[in-house]
Amino acid sequence: PPPAEGLLPPAFSRDIHLQRVLLQLRSKTSDIEKHIFLSQLKDADADAFYQLCLANMSEITPLIYTPTVGDACLQYSRNFRRPEGLFISIKDKGKIGTILRNWPAIDEARISVVTDGKSIPPRSRILGLGDLGLNGMPIAIGKLSLYVAGAGIRPSSTLPITLDLGTNNQTFLDDPLYLGLRQNRASEAEYVEFMEEFMTEISRVFPKILVQFEDFSTDHAFAFLARFRHRFPLFNDIQGTGAVVLAGLLSAARLSPLQPREHRILFFGAGSAGIGVATQLLSFFTLNGMSEEEARNHIWIVDSKGLIYDGRDNVSEYKKGKLYVFSRKDYSGPPMTDLLDIVQYVKPTALMGLSTVKGAFSEAVIRRMASQTPRPIIFPLSNPSQLSECTFAEALRASGGSVQFASGSPFPTENFGGRMWEPGQGNNMYIFPGLGLGSILCRASSVTDSMVEASAIGLANSLSSDERALELIYPRIQRIREISAHIAVHVIRAAQAADVDRSSDLRKLIDEELLEFVQKKMWTPQ
């Protein structure tokens, strides 16, 4: 209800106030100041915050999530004003359920983003950060803000959680302002026991909750997904990234004169994101009638030591293990370490960067690729933009305008060859709101690979005719609510096909009715 008479100035107007707030935001001189302003606005007036987001998605999204959230994490203990979310530490082991029951909106919680702030020393999987410890909380908060803005999940239904298992970041341990435990990370055995208790208790305390793991370390990202995904409704950020890249590849392939079976994908970067995305992109080929084994033969992976192949020494298990077998069996020559040589050998039609190695896609590499395929697909996906394997301008010039480009961080439009070009941004924000919303509405008992795949197909199919005419890889972010509803329908149908849906009444609805149902369930700020 509006405030009682006399509690607002006589000429106060909500519409004018939103203009005032936007001017206040734009008056800030740095992105981190803007992030702090938006955080305080959300706390003071959540409706105004989300109205601002929905009206200015392309401007606000980079401020509340990537890339600004990286700085927000690094400065979290220094900029801390008031708590938001739940903090559960290794010292709470044995009483995690009690901690969870302290959440004030216990009956409303439907989705939780959980981070352990581990990342990958010295760099995060995608954000380019180190071991954040408790300072990882802004990642969970920012992502949930986008669930609300992008999919209309009610703010009161969101639950950000940071798991504090210590940190090996000495800078934080030495910082008197650091808010986390002042101890090194728990042992692996302690960690696994802790996570088992955490997942068991969160499902008991919040029986309707969907959990998304965010920015876990390489080994834990895979291990915990495998351990818990068939017991609880759960997915992780790697799956979201994989789905958005799959959607981009599906869109780009439509613009290529090549047949799906002719595509050859080269990954530069073999961390958890690289392997996870490569695994998801198997779907590109299997959707076109190939077996998984045939699909693997169309993917090559390069790590810091060069091309990964069976005869090479020192290949980690998560790169070469039986679940993620991309090690080449058709190469037996000397180690191949130079990316230009590898591009010449593989002749990729698509080049994916998840390495956080700035400039790795050099002019020579892009030129070579463009000489070998008519519409080179180049996705430098590392964040932030300072760690991108190449810029949009570099890719345009080196390819002579033939490139199909999408990046992890935003790049500006470019004037090249007498026209303006719009870069694509493979932000997993396109995927996770709709995937989460669909999973919640159908009350999925688990999040299957087919549901993740369906989210990618839904995204690829959501391009408007105007966007297709401009050869865009992704739809414009301003349409995120429409896109998320479209994705949610695909996800619900996939859950029904996999028999993991618990809202059986939705099976009776035709697609048009299901879309209307989804749209009516979306929360809108007043």
Side-chain angles (χ1 to χ4, degrees):
E5 192 173 359
L7 298 181
L8 283 175
F12 180 84
S13 158
R14 189 71 176 176
D15 291 340
I16 298 297
H17 183 57
L18 289 175
Q19 296 178 32
R20 180 184 299 112
V21 169
L22 188 60
L23 287 171
Q24 291 170 353
L25 173 68
R26 290 172 175 169
S27 73
K28 307 300 178 185
T29 57
S30 70
D31 286 347
I32 191 63
E33 287 180 307
K34 293 178 181 180
H35 178 94
I36 293 169
F37 173 84
L38 289 168
S39 297
Q40 293 182 299
L41 176 64
K42 185 174 70 168
D43 181 41
D45 188 345
D47 283 297
F49 171 79
Y50 286 112
Q51 284 177 314
L52 200 67
C53 288
L54 287 170
N56 304 275
M57 285 301 297
S58 58
E59 180 177 355
I60 302 295
T61 298
L63 299 174
I64 59 177
Y65 195 54
T66 57
T68 309
V69 74
D71 286 334
C73 289
L74 294 173
Q75 300 179 39
Y76 178 69
S77 291
R78 187 157 299 185
N79 294 335
F80 181 82
R81 282 157 171 77
R82 64 177 296 276
E84 183 176 359
L86 273 177
F87 304 86
I88 305 174
S89 81
I90 189 66
K91 294 185 182 299
D92 297 320
K93 190 172 176 293
K95 59 175 183 179
I96 292 175
T98 301
I99 303 296
L100 289 167
R101 288 181 180 88
N102 289 332
W103 185 245
I106 195 167
D107 294 328
E108 297 181 58
R110 294 293 182 272
I111 185 165
S112 179
V113 172
V114 180
T115 185
D116 73 345
K118 178 69 181 293
S119 306
I120 303 177
R123 286 177 173 170
S124 162
R125 179 168 56 250
I126 291 293
L127 290 178
L129 311 175
D131 183 347
L132 294 168
L134 180 133
N135 286 343
M137 179 57 96
I139 294 175
I141 294 170
K143 196 140 203 180
L144 284 169
S145 293
L146 295 182
Y147 273 106
V148 177
I153 294 172
R154 288 183 177 277
S156 59
S157 297
T158 65
L159 172 54
I161 298 179
T162 288
L163 306 177
D164 186 356
L165 292 104
T167 180
N168 296 331
N169 188 323
Q170 196 61 44
T171 300
F172 291 154
L173 292 174
D174 293 339
D175 183 355
L177 298 180
Y178 179 58
L179 289 162
L181 293 178
R182 296 183 184 279
Q183 64 180 56
N184 287 331
R185 286 205 169 256
S187 69
E188 185 65 19
E190 287 180 294
Y191 195 176
V192 171
E193 288 181 8
F194 177 89
M195 288 302 299
E196 187 68 42
E197 180 184 348
F198 171 75
M199 288 303 301
T200 301
E201 291 299 328
I202 196 171
S203 68
R204 286 175 180 167
V205 177
F206 306 103
K208 296 182 179 179
I209 206 160
L210 170 71
V211 174
Q212 189 218 305
F213 287 158
E214 181 78 15
D215 219 35
F216 278 62
S217 68
T218 296
D219 295 338
H220 292 151
F222 288 126
F224 290 146
L225 181 66
R227 185 182 185 97
F228 297 122
R229 67 179 308 191
H230 299 298
R231 295 159 54 192
F232 308 105
L234 166 73
F235 70 101
N236 69 20
D237 55 328
I238 301 174
Q239 291 173 288
T241 300
V244 80
V245 177
L246 172 59
L249 183 61
L250 290 168
S251 296
R254 294 188 188 120
L255 302 172
S256 171
L258 303 179
Q259 295 300 310
R261 288 176 174 268
E262 297 178 274
H263 281 285
R264 303 156 69 86
I265 306 173
L266 178 62
F267 278 82
F268 185 71
S272 60
I275 299 297
V277 173
T279 302
Q280 187 65 62
L281 291 197
L282 292 172
S283 296
F284 172 79
F285 299 104
T286 57
L287 285 168
N288 286 284
M290 297 173 66
S291 70
E292 193 166 304
E293 184 177 353
E294 288 176 309
R296 279 203 188 93
N297 289 330
H298 287 253
I299 293 176
W300 287 255
I301 296 184
V302 176
D303 68 1
S304 59
K305 297 181 177 65
L307 182 69
I308 294 177
Y309 61 96
D310 277 3
R312 206 191 86 182
D313 295 331
N314 301 320
V315 178
S316 300
E317 276 307 307
Y318 77 87
K319 297 173 187 173
K320 197 177 173 183
K322 77 175 183 179
L323 289 178
Y324 306 98
V325 184
F326 293 102
S327 181
R328 300 300 302 188
K329 297 171 175 53
D330 54 0
Y331 180 78
S332 57
M336 195 176 294
T337 59
D338 185 81
L339 184 57
L340 183 59
D341 293 338
I342 295 170
V343 166
Q344 185 166 354
Y345 167 72
V346 173
K347 295 180 173 55
T349 61
L351 180 59
M352 307 286 169
L354 296 107
S355 67
T356 66
V357 177
K358 177 179 171 59
F361 297 170
S362 65
E363 180 179 353
V365 165
I366 298 170
R367 285 186 182 278
R368 170 64 64 183
M369 187 176 172
S371 73
Q372 296 174 160
T373 189
R375 296 296 308 271
I377 300 167
I378 298 179
F379 288 7
L381 298 168
S382 295
N383 288 313
S385 54
Q386 298 94 307
L387 299 178
S388 182
E389 288 79 7
C390 69
T391 68
F392 182 42
E394 291 166 346
L396 267 178
R397 295 191 189 100
S399 69
S402 64
V403 69
Q404 298 185 76
F405 180 95
S407 56
S409 287
F411 283 102
T413 57
E414 293 289 340
N415 190 334
F416 177 80
R419 57 164 280 198
M420 297 302 296
W421 301 70
E422 288 186 49
Q425 186 187 355
N427 192 326
N428 61 17
M429 183 195 168
Y430 280 114
I431 289 290
F432 63 77
L435 176 57
L437 179 63
S439 301
I440 291 168
L441 292 179
C442 75
R443 296 193 59 223
S445 59
S446 64
V447 180
T448 65
D449 288 338
S450 61
M451 291 165 67
V452 178
E453 183 180 278
S455 71
I457 295 169
L459 174 57
N461 290 340
S462 67
L463 286 154
S464 68
S465 57
D466 289 344
E467 290 163 344
R468 290 176 189 269
L470 291 170
E471 296 191 345
L472 299 188
I473 302 296
Y474 294 105
R476 293 195 170 97
I477 200 69
Q478 291 88 339
R479 295 176 49 232
I480 188 62
R481 284 276 176 114
E482 177 188 345
I483 296 162
S484 294
H486 189 71
I487 290 172
V489 169
H490 279 71
V491 169
I492 292 169
R493 292 302 191 212
Q496 293 169 346
D499 202 26
V500 296
D501 61 313
R502 290 177 288 186
S503 293
S504 57
D505 286 351
L506 299 184
R507 292 181 175 233
K508 302 173 186 176
L509 304 180
I510 63 173
D511 285 351
E512 291 78 7
E513 293 171 333
L514 184 57
L515 178 60
E516 184 180 357
F517 169 82
V518 169
Q519 291 170 332
K520 285 181 177 177
K521 287 293 184 180
M522 290 174 135
W523 174 83
T524 301
Q526 301 302 313

